[in-house]
Amino acid sequence: MSLIRNIHLLDQDLTLAINAVHCSWSDHLWQFFSAKEVWFPLYAVIAVMLIVRLGWKRGMVAILSIVATIVACDQFSNLIKEAVERLRPCHDPTMIDRGLRLLEGKANLYGFFSAHAANSFGFAVASLMAFRMSPQKKNKSTIYGWVIILWATMVSVSRIFVGKHYLGDVIVGAAVGILFGWLFARLARWIISGIESRPTRRKRS
């Protein structure tokens, strides 16, 4: 039996073990975290906070870096899903026969890797690094960091509980999101540094 096959079987077992943990109120909780639309107000509030905290120019660059992170995560996820063609657990007859619980309707056929996990962790990392570009109130950015990482974890794990992703899908998605979030946040810092250094160069010349 190949290593990939063994990993897949382990992923199935762990996913079923997590998916089986539930009660009446937790089912609603995971459905809430899994829904994309409910988080739009959160994104808007954080965008406003970034402009207030960093100023107009820095804030807009930071917001654009977050948007770029989410777009990159989403499109890369779609590309990998079509290339790998790994069935979501909700479309896998073996998982259904073994008792997988579905809290939502079935999504598209393929699920590796989770765009929810990539987007949420990408957003968390990019926004946290953006807030830390401000020299003031560093302790508040630390509090924000704990809260936003917890939020990203809950969004990601919810996809297992609703039956749409394996644990492996979520772990890989989170890793991709962290990577893209870090890269685009670093790019934002480089752009901001370039913008803010221009007046200094003009004075010297």
Side-chain angles (χ1 to χ4, degrees):
M1 190 175 292
S2 67
L3 177 61
I4 294 177
R5 176 65 176 167
N6 283 333
I7 292 173
H8 178 64
L9 292 176
L10 177 61
D11 203 6
Q12 285 184 324
D13 292 340
L14 292 174
T15 298
L16 286 168
I18 295 170
N19 177 265
V21 178
H22 72 99
C23 59
S24 57
W25 65 266
S26 68
D27 288 349
H28 295 298
L29 176 70
W30 298 123
Q31 286 177 298
F32 175 77
F33 272 96
S34 182
K36 289 182 178 180
E37 296 78 10
V38 300
W39 301 113
F40 290 158
L42 173 67
Y43 304 147
V45 169
I46 291 175
V48 172
M49 289 172 59
L50 282 169
I51 292 175
V52 171
R53 179 84 172 267
L54 303 177
W56 180 254
K57 287 184 179 180
R58 281 190 170 200
M60 285 305 300
V61 173
I63 291 169
L64 288 174
S65 73
I66 295 170
V67 171
T69 297
I70 293 173
V71 170
C73 288
D74 208 55
Q75 293 306 307
F76 188 54
S77 173
N78 291 335
L79 179 66
I80 298 300
K81 283 174 183 175
E82 293 300 320
V84 175
E85 296 186 344
R86 186 193 195 193
L87 290 176
R88 292 176 185 269
C90 58
H91 288 293
D92 188 335
T94 301
M95 294 293 285
I96 300 298
D97 291 343
R98 293 181 65 186
L100 180 77
R101 298 175 58 258
L102 302 178
L103 301 182
E104 298 178 353
K106 293 182 179 181
N108 295 333
L109 210 57
Y110 306 125
F112 182 82
F113 54 87
S114 169
H116 269 71
N119 291 340
S120 58
F121 271 94
F123 178 87
V125 171
S127 62
L128 175 59
M129 290 180 67
F131 276 115
R132 288 184 173 174
M133 285 191 286
S134 172
Q136 300 175 346
K137 301 177 183 178
K138 289 185 178 180
N139 59 326
K140 288 189 176 180
S141 66
T142 301
I143 295 172
Y144 173 80
W146 284 107
V147 172
I148 202 67
I149 293 298
L150 175 61
W151 167 82
T153 302
M154 294 289 282
V155 170
S156 301
V157 172
S158 72
R159 304 300 286 170
I160 303 173
F161 283 100
V162 300
K164 289 187 177 179
H165 281 291
Y166 291 101
L167 174 62
D169 300 339
V170 169
I171 292 173
V172 173
V176 170
I178 290 169
L179 176 60
F180 276 121
W182 181 83
L183 287 174
F184 281 103
R186 293 291 297 179
L187 178 60
R189 288 185 178 183
W190 179 78
I191 292 172
I192 289 170
S193 177
I195 292 173
E196 293 180 345
S197 65
R198 285 177 184 174
T200 305
R201 290 173 183 174
R202 288 176 182 174
K203 287 179 182 179
R204 289 179 179 176
S205 58

